[in-house]
């Protein structure tokens, strides 16, 4: 229990900070209602009571400082309140449910977002994934204020980093340089970025930091004198020209100098913009006027004039930059921009923010999309137009960022499932995937993954992919892997079936397959233009070649079967090519149906249901006759499918240029009245269909008319059927599967 004196000191400290906070919000947003901020302070005072920071200060100082940074960004009371509560769910007994009840949906939503991101320990994740991690953070956020609170939080933590262990310091500093500073940069928040970078650099590489700082300090005195002189000259000339503008000078930030020295491998003397001047004007026209005036005083360095006003940087930074050479030959940079551009450069997205009031609007959503895109942008592009056009093309990154249990970032398409995740890890993991845990909880394989999810795949040796998975996966990689597996295994299955068919056929000649020599099989395969016995067997399995023909070529001439073959019973002869020609005759165009993944298989329409183009169809590998294609509604399908391994996916061929017609039989139930037949035939004639056969039965002034007509596809059929149904006196039109 802290002493009374300590308690009083604590109260005095936090109360002062709290008053500062209220004052700052009132200055920046005089019309705002502060009751939510006051309430958030009271809650956070209560729940963080007794907690201390590493510095020994009361914990409450931290949320107060974070809130103050937010107030300085001119954020709204909702964001400031959320800032005060940002650590309360993770570190105290307060729950999101309570926050929602006491502070409303928005505050709760923001605190929830901040908490979610805090749970990801970016520092322990695999290296070299910084860009993915930055993207992930933004993909997880649907309210910009979450990011701004995270930045404010990080800023205060960096300002007080000295109190932590050196090991922690380095980790946090590294994370700051890799994740947070770049995000601040992409959001155009130059001021926060600068501070985060310098702090990060100081803790990560204290020696280099000190070296650069020393070098700058050695030049500081001289620089300041020089800057004062330049400033006076510019101010005089502006006055003469009647232009009102602020003239400021700045010394380049330590980290930024360090990077320049490293990148360009130069000495500090060669850094052009170590000391620089900034002219802040009242209007855009004045920017260009000032540029002219400056070039009149000093000679500009050729190639160093940059117009970021006409061509803003990707993060919307706008300014004119020029370098001039002073009388004594020193190169020197001057930036010229308006007040508004300056605010944008310093505050970035927060500069936009302050103009808005009220709840999150569609406009903010758009800004968020912009922001995500900006972060998406890996490098600064040289051509801002290129950036803007890409901004239009891809506003919403269609990606989710997930983690493996070991911390590897796995980038997947939006709506990806654990199967996609599994295939990304390894093909074999994909094939044998039976389930998944997301954030420690079991989920079904169709579960959609979200950014930040930690995904653990459960595998089972011997488990196999299923065709249904094709409907669950989102990435083309997993789709291809599954398809490939299915194709390979379909082939294995067809080899197996082919072998059985040959065996069965051979039994008719009382021969066992093992008695047939491999070289004989290979010879026959060669006769079909095949290089492998397996190709021959799979061809038989798929029905491309008949087992009988193959066997015929294997046996000595004159061998006779001891049983009547199946094919003869079907009315076919065993002359080569007969089946193919019959099949072609059956459906007219051999391109009409293709087997998925197998272009060259023999397929035919089953006669029990006569499917027509456009109908849902399913294939069945027959014994020796190729693939029978049934309508999925065909009653035979249910019976046939007990041999599931013979089922195969088929689809209507793409080639629709060759007109195909199918005979379809319809029965029209109608009144037996004068002119009925004429009505029926004219509907069919109008639909460009040809009647092959027509017949009628009548009784008690009711009739049933049976028509066989040529149909090109399902649409054609449907339009004729609906046309017939519209004829007065027609009660019902039925399609008969069997012709
Ligand atoms: Mn915090």
């Amino acid at each position: 229990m802290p002493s009374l004196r300590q308690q009083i000191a604590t109260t005095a400290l936090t109360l002062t900070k709290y008053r500062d906070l209220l004052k700052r919000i009132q200055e920046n947003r005089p019309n705002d209602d502060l009751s939510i901020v006051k309430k958030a302070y009271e809650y956070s005072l209560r729940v963080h009571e007794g907690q201390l920071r590493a510095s020994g200060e009361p914990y409450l100082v931290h949320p107060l400082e974070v809130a103050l940074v937010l107030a300085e960004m001119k954020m709204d009371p909702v964001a400031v309140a959320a800032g005060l509560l940002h650590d309360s769910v993770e570190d105290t007994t307060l729950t999101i449910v309570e926050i929602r009840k006491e502070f409303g949906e928005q505050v709760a939503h923001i605190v929830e977002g901040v908490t979610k991101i805090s749970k990801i320990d970016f520092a322990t994740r695999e290296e070299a994934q910084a860009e993915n991690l930055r993207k992930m953070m933004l993909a997880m956020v649907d309210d910009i204020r979450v990011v701004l609170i995270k930045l404010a939080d990080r800023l205060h933590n960096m300002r007080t980093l000295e109190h932590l262990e050196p090991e922690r310091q380095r980790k946090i500093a590294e994370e700051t340089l890799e994740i947070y500073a770049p995000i601040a940069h992409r959001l155009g928040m130059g001021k926060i970025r600068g501070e985060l970078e310098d702090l990060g650099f100081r803790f990560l590489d204290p020696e280099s930091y000190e070296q650069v700082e020393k070098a700058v300090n050695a030049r500081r005195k001289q620089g300041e004198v020089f800057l004062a002189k330049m400033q006076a000259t510019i101010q005089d000339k502006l006055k003469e020209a009647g232009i009102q503008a602020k003239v400021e000078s700045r010394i380049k930030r330590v980290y930024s100098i360090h990077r320049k020295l490293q990148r360009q491998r130069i000495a500090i003397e060669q850094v052009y913009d170590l000391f620089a001047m900034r002219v802040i004007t009242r209007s855009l026209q004045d920017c260009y006027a000032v540029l002219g005036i400056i070039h009149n005083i000093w000679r500009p360095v050729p190639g160093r004039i940059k117009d970021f006003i006409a061509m803003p940087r990707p993060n919307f930074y706008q300014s004119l930059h020029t370098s001039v050479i002073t009388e004594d030959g020193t190169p020197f940079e001057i930036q010229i921009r308006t007040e508004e551009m300056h605010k944008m450069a310093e505050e970035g997205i927060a500069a936009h923010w302050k103009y808005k009031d009220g709840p999150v609007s569609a406009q903010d959503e758009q800004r968020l999309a912009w922001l995500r895109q900006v972060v998406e942008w890996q490098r600064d592009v040289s051509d801002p137009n290129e950036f803007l056009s890409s901004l239009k093309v891809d506003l919403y990154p269609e990606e989710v960022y997930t983690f493996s249990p070991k911390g590897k970032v796995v980038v997947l398409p939006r709506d990806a499932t654990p199967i996609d995740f599994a295939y990304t890890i390894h093909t074999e993991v994909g094939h044998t995937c039976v389930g998944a845990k997301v954030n420690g909880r079991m989920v079904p394989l169709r579960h959609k993954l979200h950014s930040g999810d930690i995904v653990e795949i459960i595998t089972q040796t011997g488990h196999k992919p299923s065709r249904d998975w094709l409907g669950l996966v989102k990435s083309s990689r997993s789709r291809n892997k599954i398809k490939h597996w299915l194709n390979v295994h379909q082939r294995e299955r067809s080899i197996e079936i082919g072998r059985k068919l040959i065996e069965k056929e051979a039994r008719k000649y009382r021969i066992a397959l093992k008695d047939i020599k491999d070289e004989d099989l290979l010879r026959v395969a060669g006769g079909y233009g095949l290089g492998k016995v397996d190709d021959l067997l799979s061809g038989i399995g798929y029905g491309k070649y008949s087992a009988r023909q193959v066997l015929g070529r294997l046996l000595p001439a004159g061998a006779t079967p001891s049983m009547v073959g199946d094919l003869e019973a079907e009315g076919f002869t065993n002359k080569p090519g007969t089946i193919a020609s019959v099949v072609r005759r059956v459906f007219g165009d051999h391109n009409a149906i293709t087997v998925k993944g197998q272009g060259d298989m023999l397929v035919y329409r089953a006669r029990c249901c006569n499917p027509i183009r456009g109908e849902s169809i399913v294939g069945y590998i027959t014994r020796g006759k190729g693939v029978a294609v049934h309508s999925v509604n065909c009653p035979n399908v249910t019976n046939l499918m007990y041999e599931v391994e013979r089922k195969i996916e088929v689809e209507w061929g793409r080639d629709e240029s060759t007109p195909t017609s199918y005979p379809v039989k319809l029965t029209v139930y109608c009144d037996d009245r004068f002119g009925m037949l004429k009505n029926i035939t004219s509907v069919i004639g109008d639909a460009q269909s040809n009647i092959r056969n027509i017949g009628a039965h009548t009784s008690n002034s009711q009739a049933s008319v049976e028509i066989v007509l040529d149909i090109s596809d399902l649409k054609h059929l449907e339009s004729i059927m609906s046309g017939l149904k519209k004829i007065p006196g027609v009660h019902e039109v039925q399609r008969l599967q069997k012709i």
Side-chain angles (χ1 to χ4, degrees):
M1 202 52 198
S3 72
L4 191 62
R5 182 191 291 250
Q6 276 172 321
Q7 285 180 46
I8 291 167
T10 296
T11 312
L13 176 67
T14 52
L15 212 63
T16 314
K17 288 199 184 294
Y18 173 56
R19 288 199 183 119
D20 284 350
L21 173 66
L22 292 183
K23 214 174 94 194
R24 193 59 49 89
I25 307 173
Q26 272 160 346
E27 277 167 14
N28 287 336
R29 306 174 64 104
N31 301 323
D32 282 358
D33 177 6
L34 297 186
S35 56
I36 196 169
V37 175
K38 288 175 182 161
K39 194 169 169 186
Y41 172 70
E42 283 156 21
Y43 264 76
S44 108
L45 179 68
R46 186 160 56 76
V47 297
H48 288 297
E49 200 190 345
Q51 292 180 347
L52 295 179
R53 297 202 89 213
S55 62
E57 281 182 318
Y59 195 89
L60 190 62
V61 169
H62 172 63
L64 273 168
E65 289 285 354
V66 169
L68 196 65
V69 173
L70 294 167
E72 275 160 7
M73 289 181 193
K74 304 179 178 69
M75 299 276 280
D76 62 342
V78 165
V80 176
L84 282 168
L85 297 165
H86 82 271
D87 278 331
S88 63
V89 173
E90 242 196 316
D91 297 345
T92 80
T93 52
L94 202 61
T95 64
I96 283 291
V97 179
E98 273 173 89
I99 292 179
R100 185 170 289 119
K101 200 175 126 225
E102 297 297 329
F103 298 93
E105 185 53 46
Q106 278 199 64
V107 174
H109 190 74
I110 296 169
V111 173
E112 206 172 10
V114 175
T115 309
K116 209 161 80 185
I117 292 178
S118 303
K119 281 188 180 151
I120 295 175
D121 185 357
F122 291 98
T124 65
R125 300 295 174 185
E126 269 188 16
E127 284 167 29
Q129 299 192 80
E131 184 62 23
N132 275 342
L133 290 169
R134 294 196 285 267
K135 286 188 199 168
M136 170 188 292
M137 187 185 288
L138 289 164
M140 284 171 70
V141 164
D142 55 6
D143 189 316
I144 176 68
R145 290 172 289 191
V146 172
V147 180
L148 300 182
I149 290 172
K150 279 310 290 180
L151 288 173
D153 179 42
R154 178 51 55 117
L155 187 62
H156 184 242
N157 286 338
M158 286 305 291
R159 283 172 180 169
T160 53
L161 199 61
E162 63 197 287
H163 303 289
L164 297 188
E165 294 292 306
E167 180 68 11
R168 286 287 293 152
Q169 284 181 353
R170 256 196 308 280
K171 269 194 168 169
I172 294 174
E174 196 175 359
E175 196 184 77
T176 301
L177 285 179
E178 283 191 345
I179 313 285
Y180 289 91
I183 286 181
H185 174 49
R186 307 296 179 167
L187 302 187
M189 305 169 84
K191 216 164 137 190
I192 286 190
R193 172 212 177 185
E195 194 177 344
L196 286 175
E197 281 182 345
D198 277 3
L199 286 166
F201 179 41
R202 203 176 101 201
F203 284 99
L204 198 63
D205 188 355
E207 270 175 44
S208 304
Y209 183 90
E210 219 170 289
Q211 220 180 320
V212 177
E213 201 184 32
K214 246 189 195 160
V216 173
N217 284 340
R219 285 160 184 81
R220 190 180 294 272
K221 192 118 208 141
Q222 201 193 343
E224 277 166 359
V225 173
F226 171 73
L227 283 171
K229 207 177 108 195
M230 301 285 289
Q231 193 165 348
T233 312
I234 296 173
Q235 265 162 344
D236 284 350
K237 294 285 179 186
L238 291 182
K239 211 170 181 184
E240 272 175 37
I243 291 172
Q244 285 198 325
K246 262 190 275 180
V247 184
E248 297 176 349
S249 58
R250 64 140 183 90
I251 301 171
K252 201 174 176 68
R253 282 199 166 267
V254 177
Y255 184 63
S256 160
I257 297 167
H258 167 72
R259 277 235 306 249
K260 196 158 200 168
L261 296 180
Q262 277 203 322
R263 213 171 39 224
Q264 304 182 357
R265 294 164 195 253
I266 50 173
I268 195 154
E269 293 76 25
Q270 290 164 279
V271 177
Y272 269 42
D273 56 349
L274 190 59
F275 300 100
M277 202 72 86
R278 194 177 281 148
V279 183
I280 296 163
T281 67
R282 292 197 161 175
S283 74
L284 194 141
Q285 288 85 343
D286 282 356
C287 289
Y288 292 97
V290 169
L291 185 71
I293 290 165
I294 285 168
H295 286 171
N296 242 329
I297 315 172
W298 299 291
R299 192 158 53 84
V301 181
R304 299 264 326 166
I305 304 163
K306 289 172 197 155
D307 187 348
F308 296 118
I309 292 178
M311 309 260 268
R313 276 193 175 148
N315 62 8
F316 291 178
Y317 172 85
Q318 285 189 300
S319 203
L320 295 174
H321 290 190
T322 185
S323 291
V324 296
I325 298 181
T326 59
E327 297 88 353
D328 57 356
T330 318
F332 172 77
E333 191 184 82
I334 300 169
Q335 301 172 351
I336 308 157
R337 53 175 90 141
T338 66
E339 187 68 46
E340 213 185 312
M341 292 170 195
H342 182 56
K343 270 197 176 127
M344 189 57 201
E346 296 277 295
E347 299 166 15
I349 188 105
H352 284 305
W353 186 261
K354 65 172 184 272
Y355 297 114
K356 82 156 275 302
D357 279 302
V360 178
S361 65
Q363 209 187 352
D364 291 320
E365 287 296 315
Q366 247 177 8
R367 266 184 212 143
L368 194 62
W370 164 73
L371 172 162
R372 286 185 180 134
Q373 174 62 36
V374 167
V375 173
E376 181 88 348
W377 212 248
Q378 307 251 356
R379 297 168 294 276
D380 284 355
V381 280
S382 48
D383 181 1
N385 289 328
E386 188 193 323
F387 170 72
L388 288 172
S389 63
S390 79
L391 190 71
K392 275 176 241 144
V393 176
D394 189 16
L395 260 179
Y396 297 94
E398 293 287 302
E399 284 169 349
V400 289
Y401 301 85
T402 57
F403 285 125
S404 76
K406 282 185 187 155
K408 184 180 176 351
V409 178
V410 177
V411 187
L412 298 166
R414 194 189 214 103
D415 290 339
T417 59
I419 304 174
D420 288 300
F421 187 97
Y423 276 105
T424 312
I425 299 295
H426 193 276
T427 305
E428 205 45 45
V429 175
H431 288 342
T432 55
C433 157
V434 287
K437 276 185 187 172
V438 170
N439 305 323
R441 231 184 256 167
M442 283 296 295
V443 297
L445 286 178
R446 63 172 179 282
H447 178 88
K448 283 177 183 161
L449 298 175
H450 299 283
S451 283
D453 280 351
I454 299 168
V455 186
E456 192 184 331
I457 297 296
I458 301 160
T459 58
Q460 197 181 76
T461 324
H463 185 80
K464 291 167 185 132
S466 97
R467 190 168 283 279
D468 303 340
W469 285 10
L470 290 173
L472 299 179
V473 297
K474 280 287 167 226
S475 83
S476 51
R477 182 190 149 86
S478 14
R479 179 161 297 116
N480 289 338
K481 295 277 178 198
I482 296 167
K483 274 188 178 166
H484 181 74
W485 191 94
L486 290 171
N487 283 343
V488 167
H489 288 78
Q490 234 158 33
R491 182 176 147 83
E492 280 173 12
R493 244 165 38 194
S494 69
I495 292 171
E496 196 49 42
I497 292 168
R499 192 182 301 278
K500 282 191 179 137
L501 288 172
I502 279 276
E503 264 170 10
K504 193 182 158 204
E505 194 63 30
R507 249 180 271 130
K508 294 174 188 166
Y509 296 84
R510 303 188 202 289
I511 301 169
L513 187 60
K514 62 174 170 17
D515 296 335
I516 299 170
K517 284 183 194 136
D518 274 359
E519 61 248 46
D520 287 334
L521 275 167
L522 196 61
R523 175 178 51 79
V524 175
Y528 285 100
L530 303 170
K532 285 189 227 154
V533 173
D534 277 356
D535 291 343
L536 179 67
L537 291 174
S538 91
I540 296 166
Y542 276 133
K544 205 166 159 187
Y545 318 113
S546 100
R548 165 166 306 213
Q549 285 168 38
V550 171
L551 203 69
R553 295 182 179 202
L554 281 166
L555 298 174
T560 48
S562 52
M563 279 187 269
V564 176
D566 294 332
L567 283 173
E568 275 159 7
E570 291 278 345
F572 293 118
T573 69
N574 65 352
K575 276 184 216 137
T578 309
I579 297 167
S581 66
V582 169
V583 169
R584 270 190 207 111
R585 197 156 13 91
V586 168
F587 64 99
D589 166 20
H590 70 287
N591 279 330
I593 306 172
T594 56
V595 176
K596 277 191 183 165
Q598 298 286 336
D600 57 349
M601 283 182 53
L602 200 56
V603 281
Y604 69 96
R605 293 162 61 231
R607 274 183 268 166
C608 47
C609 55
N610 288 296
I612 58 173
R613 181 185 283 279
E615 259 185 288
S616 297
I617 47 178
V618 61
Y620 181 76
I621 303 168
T622 63
R623 296 193 183 275
K625 286 183 289 161
V627 176
V629 175
H630 295 262
S631 156
V632 291
N633 301 319
C634 175
N636 284 345
V637 166
T638 340
N639 298 332
L640 290 172
M641 289 310 160
Y642 72 94
E643 272 186 279
V644 185
E645 75 276 4
R646 288 178 168 267
K647 183 179 165 185
I648 192 163
E649 266 196 61
V650 289
E651 60 189 6
W652 294 99
R654 296 273 150 69
D655 181 18
E656 292 179 44
S657 55
T658 330
T660 317
S661 73
Y662 311 91
V664 168
K665 194 175 195 175
L666 296 178
T667 308
V668 181
Y669 298 92
C670 54
D671 294 343
D672 181 14
R673 63 160 171 79
F674 179 76
M676 180 57 92
L677 210 55
K678 189 170 173 284
N679 290 156
I680 290 173
T681 53
S682 72
V683 164
I684 293 166
D686 288 350
Q688 316 274 309
S689 177
N690 182 37
I691 297 175
R692 290 192 175 192
N693 196 355
I694 191 160
H697 304 274
T698 57
S699 84
N700 296 334
S701 69
Q702 290 296 303
S704 67
V705 184
E706 284 196 347
I707 318 151
V708 178
L709 66 171
D710 285 335
I711 293 294
S712 59
D713 60 15
L714 189 63
K715 259 194 196 151
H716 190 207
L717 175 66
E718 281 166 352
S719 86
I720 289 176
M721 284 176 75
S722 78
L724 292 172
K725 280 176 192 162
K726 280 182 196 143
I727 298 171
V730 169
H731 314 305
E732 170 115 53
V733 182
Q734 272 182 1
R735 177 182 172 195
L736 290 158
Q737 300 291 356
K738 205 154 170 116
I739 302 165

